[in-house]
């Protein structure tokens, strides 16, 4: 068995022995029991600037190959979202290219006849975030003029996504949080966009643990009050809402919201702590999934969903539970740096040439944190080639002075 020396929180080191990697099977037919999107990250060129504030330059081959990997396991891809560093290094210029390229690649999968995605449309395979990050919230005018600027920015991004072919995800907007004076401004912007939408969209409610700039979203800091506003919007435009992605990391809130949604509106869990029980359901309702953690655990996530399809809910839940500690660790506070762990696992598994992220975000976690990520990924059976992962981990530790 492969072993290496890992650092500990008290400044010491210890020996860790890797497990044998399990074999996770790809589906031989489309997954039907749950609708699931993995929120994919982006991979930069290793020779790009990749420092805070620098324009994003992506390694398009590696970035698109990662999406094909997710599709091959029967999962949809949620793209151009916070996982892909929207608002944290991925600028609107690069985002537009990402949306268009992913749409083209999804169309190629549709026409390929792949068993895992047979009969799927581009909208089934990929949903993309439309937001307002081409705006600088600090420069927006107050009042109605600011709200109109936000609405126009949303319209611009919705048009890009719609033209490329993916399903639209209406992302939470820092700019709207800045200029909105109360619930009516949120309802005006979102109601207008939903009336104009040609096909149903996904609404995204992102909590402050992911983005502190979204405090008071839906017009209130009180979650119950904000939820009432959110539900009133959905009920009025239920025919234009495919589903809602809720990322508040509050399982009881999600269960109550799920039960209150109009028939036909899905709840795509964004709870990267409590996803096993939320996806499993309570016997009456279950959550579908639009999860950042699925981009890290996709072989296991696919296996779990395949088990649900086969009627083996106990095995499905056990597989999801086996990944929980990894998810809790990757998304631990400060939660908005969870992307670093996802990119780190991608690098360990040979899916990108270097451990780098746009905007310098590869420095967002400590050496000890990433060593624990390595250990938990191994224990969950998610290091596909343990020898390669150990080799890369050893290099990372040596470069960072561990054991030197």
């Amino acid at each position: 068995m492969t072993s290496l020396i890992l650092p500990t929180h008290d400044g010491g080191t210890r020996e860790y022995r890797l497990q044998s990697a399990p074999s996770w099977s790809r589906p031989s037919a489309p997954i039907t029991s749950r609708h699931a999107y993995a929120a994919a990250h982006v991979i930069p060129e290793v020779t790009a600037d990749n420092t805070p504030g620098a324009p994003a330059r992506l390694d398009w081959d590696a970035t698109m190959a990662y999406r094909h990997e997710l599709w091959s396991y029967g999962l949809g891809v949620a793209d151009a979202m916070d996982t892909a560093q929207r608002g944290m290094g991925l600028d609107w210029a690069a985002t537009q290219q990402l949306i268009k390229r992913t749409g083209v690649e999804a169309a190629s999968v549709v026409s390929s006849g792949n068993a895992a995605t047979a009969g799927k449309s581009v909208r089934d395979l990929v949903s993309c975030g439309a937001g307002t990050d081409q705006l600088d919230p600090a420069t927006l005018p107050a009042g109605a003029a600011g709200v109109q600027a936000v609405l126009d920015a949303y319209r611009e991004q919705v048009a890009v996504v719609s033209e490329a072919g993916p399903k639209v995800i209406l992302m939470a907007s820092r700019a709207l949080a800045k200029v909105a004076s109360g619930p009516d401004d949120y309802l005006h912007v979102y109601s207008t966009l939903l009336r104009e939408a040609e096909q149903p969209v996904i609404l995204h409610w992102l909590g402050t643990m992911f983005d502190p700039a979204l405090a008071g979203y839906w017009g209130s800091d009180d979650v119950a009050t904000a939820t009432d506003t959110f539900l009133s919007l959905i009920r009025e435009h239920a025919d234009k809402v495919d589903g809602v992605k809720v990322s508040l990391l509050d399982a009881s809130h999600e269960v109550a919201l799920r039960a209150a949604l109009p028939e036909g509106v899905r709840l795509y869990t964004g709870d990267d702590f409590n996803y096993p029980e939320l996806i499993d359901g309570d016997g009456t309702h279950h959550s579908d999934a639009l999860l950042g953690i699925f981009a890290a655990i996709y072989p296991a996530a696919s296996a779990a969903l395949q088990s649900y399809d086969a009627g083996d809910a106990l095995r499905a839940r056990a597989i999801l539970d086996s990944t929980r500690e990894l998810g809790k660790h990757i998304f631990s506070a400060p939660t908005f740096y969870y992307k670093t762990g996802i990119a780190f696992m991608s690098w360990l598994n040979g899916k990108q040439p270097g451990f780098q992220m746009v905007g310098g975000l590869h420095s967002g976690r400590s050496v000890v944190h990433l060593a624990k990520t390595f250990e938990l990924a191994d224990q969950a059976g998610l290091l596909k080639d343990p020898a390669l992962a150990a080799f890369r981990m050893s290099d990372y530790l040596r470069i960072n002075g561990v054991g030197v």
Side-chain angles (χ1 to χ4, degrees), residues 260-319:
L261 290 173
E263 185 176 356
V265 176
R266 299 182 180 278
L267 197 149
Y268 294 96
T269 186
D271 189 332
D272 301 276
F273 290 168
N274 303 299
Y275 58 91
E277 58 265 39
L278 292 167
I279 293 171
D280 193 54
D282 56 15
T284 303
H285 301 96
H286 67 260
S287 295
D288 293 290
L290 199 163
L291 286 162
I293 192 59
F294 269 23
I297 69 165
Y298 61 88
S302 175
L305 298 181
Q306 291 175 62
S307 292
Y308 280 121
D309 279 0
D312 192 346
L314 289 177
R315 181 173 185 272
R317 175 63 187 271
I319 293 171

Side-chain angles (χ1 to χ4, degrees), residues 46-238:
V46 293
T47 57
D49 194 345
N50 295 331
T51 54
R57 280 176 42 197
L58 302 188
D59 180 336
W60 291 113
D61 288 343
T63 295
M64 292 299 114
Y66 206 88
R67 282 136 184 80
H68 280 279
E69 175 82 350
L70 296 171
W71 287 321
S72 77
Y73 279 88
L75 301 176
V77 170
D79 218 335
M81 297 190 67
D82 45 304
T83 313
Q85 295 183 242
R86 293 291 294 272
M88 293 186 76
L90 188 70
D91 51 76
W92 174 230
T95 298
Q96 291 181 72
Q97 291 189 60
L98 177 63
I99 292 167
K100 294 172 183 176
R101 287 173 182 259
T102 305
V104 169
E105 295 300 319
S108 75
V109 173
V110 169
S111 62
S112 71
N114 185 300
T117 55
K120 299 286 188 180
S121 69
V122 169
R123 283 170 50 84
D124 294 325
L125 293 181
V126 61
S127 298
C128 287
T132 63
D133 52 330
Q134 72 271 52
L135 301 176
D136 178 357
T139 66
L140 287 174
V147 173
Q148 185 62 45
V150 169
L151 179 57
D152 289 341
Y154 264 126
R155 284 169 166 157
E156 177 189 355
Q157 296 204 11
V158 167
V160 170
V161 177
S162 298
E163 184 177 345
K167 187 179 296 179
V168 172
I169 302 169
L170 290 180
M171 297 175 64
S173 165
R174 292 175 180 172
L176 183 55
K178 173 75 182 303
V179 302
S181 60
D184 287 347
D185 285 337
Y186 286 91
L187 291 173
H188 168 67
V189 169
Y190 279 92
S191 293
T192 302
L193 293 170
L194 290 172
R195 284 193 297 268
E196 294 174 353
E198 296 180 359
Q199 299 188 70
V201 308
I202 297 173
L203 300 177
H204 187 193
W205 184 357
L206 191 67
T208 52
M209 68 290 294
F210 290 97
D211 189 344
L214 298 176
Y217 217 74
W218 303 111
S220 177
D221 287 314
D222 179 69
V223 172
T225 302
T227 300
D228 288 342
T229 301
F230 189 53
L231 277 170
S232 71
L233 171 74
I234 296 164
R235 288 167 176 156
E236 184 176 351
H237 303 281

Side-chain angles (χ1 to χ4, degrees), residues 18 31 34-35 42 44 76 83 92 95 128 133 156-157 277 296 321 343 352 385 404:
L18 280 78
I31 291 169
R34 304 289 190 275
H35 284 59
V42 294
T83 313
W92 174 230
T95 298
C128 287
D133 52 330
E156 177 189 355
Q157 296 204 11
E277 58 265 39
D321 280 337
Q352 58 191 77
D385 182 343
V404 174

Side-chain angles (χ1 to χ4, degrees), residues 279-366:
I279 293 171
D280 193 54
D282 56 15
T284 303
H285 301 96
H286 67 260
S287 295
D288 293 290
L290 199 163
L291 286 162
I293 192 59
F294 269 23
I297 69 165
Y298 61 88
S302 175
L305 298 181
Q306 291 175 62
S307 292
Y308 280 121
D309 279 0
D312 192 346
L314 289 177
R315 181 173 185 272
R317 175 63 187 271
I319 293 171
L320 292 175
D321 280 337
S322 73
T323 69
R324 184 194 296 270
E325 290 306 311
L326 175 63
K328 288 168 63 177
H329 179 70
I330 287 178
F331 284 79
S332 60
T335 302
F336 45 81
Y337 286 126
Y338 74 90
K339 310 166 191 68
T340 305
I342 291 173
F344 189 66
M345 281 189 61
S346 171
W347 175 65
L348 290 174
N349 280 316
K351 300 303 179 184
Q352 58 191 77
F355 176 46
Q356 291 198 50
M357 301 174 70
V358 297
L361 214 62
H362 44 283
S363 65
R365 293 294 198 185
S366 70

